Amino acid sequence: MSDEQHEAAPEAAPEGVKRRDALKAMAAAASLPILGSIAAPEADAQAKPAAPTAPPVQLRRGGPRGDAWDPDLINPKKDWPRKLTAAEMTTLAALADVIIPADGKSPSASAVGAHLYINEHVSAPGEGNARDLVRVRGGVSWLNLESQRRFSKGFVGLTMAQKTAICDDICYVPKAKIEFKAGARFFSLVRNLTATAFYTTDQGMKDVGYVGNMALPKWDPPPPAVLKALGLD
């Protein structure tokens, strides 16, 4: 895996983005009407989500090009600055570990660098990536503010049961309450990106028993009985 996954991010801290600003960011990214709890005169501002107060952290790259860390196979040397801050990354890593925790078979999602993959994705050039950046940034801010509201702590400081309690409310868009719809869309995006990152690593492939992409000392053709059954003998 990339060396950058070993560069631990500092302890998470609220980003200074208020709950209403976080909701605006997620709603703007989803191109949806702002949630009903926001007063009408403020709706005009929803297309301009609050910017983070902390600078992004540029992590050192490592590992082979053209893999999950660098999906641009046409321009394999192309790179782009990372945009998420250290605090955002710490919260994102904690959320990724709720989605795919460590077990007796495999490490957790953050242990294989899933949050770093998400940072690369949302920082990449492209309209879709820019939309996902707004949704992830707004969602991370909302997650910390919701954690503070319920448990008086940021998301990273919660117990797994407390983290799960919040995630249960946003884990499925169709069944999420109206006040959690935007959070559910954020969770859906992060869950998809986390799974993509995890299951394209060696650890993730071993977790599902995938045996491809392995060098073999020899290759045996299909048995004669199989060839005969297929009419290929």
Side-chain angles (χ1 to χ4, degrees), residues 88-189:
E88 289 170 332
M89 290 290 287
T90 304
T91 300
L92 205 52
L95 178 57
D97 287 349
V98 175
I99 296 170
I100 302 180
D103 57 20
K105 188 177 179 182
S106 303
S108 69
S110 72
V112 301
H115 56 308
L116 301 171
Y117 169 78
I118 295 173
N119 192 16
E120 177 167 340
H121 170 81
V122 301
S123 301
E127 184 176 340
N129 303 86
R131 183 191 63 237
D132 288 347
L133 172 64
V134 175
R135 185 177 296 179
V136 167
R137 177 158 279 159
V140 165
S141 296
W142 175 86
L143 198 60
N144 276 314
L145 291 162
E146 183 68 11
S147 300
Q148 288 285 348
R149 186 183 70 82
R150 295 194 194 189
F151 305 110
S152 301
K153 292 181 179 178
F155 187 75
V156 175
L158 303 184
T159 65
M160 182 56 78
Q162 292 170 331
K163 292 174 183 174
T164 301
I166 295 176
C167 290
D168 282 347
D169 287 334
I170 58 175
C171 67
Y172 189 45
V173 175
K175 292 188 176 180
K177 295 179 180 177
I178 185 64
E179 62 267 33
F180 295 126
K181 287 290 186 185
R185 292 187 177 88
F186 153 71
F187 186 87
S188 177
L189 173 62

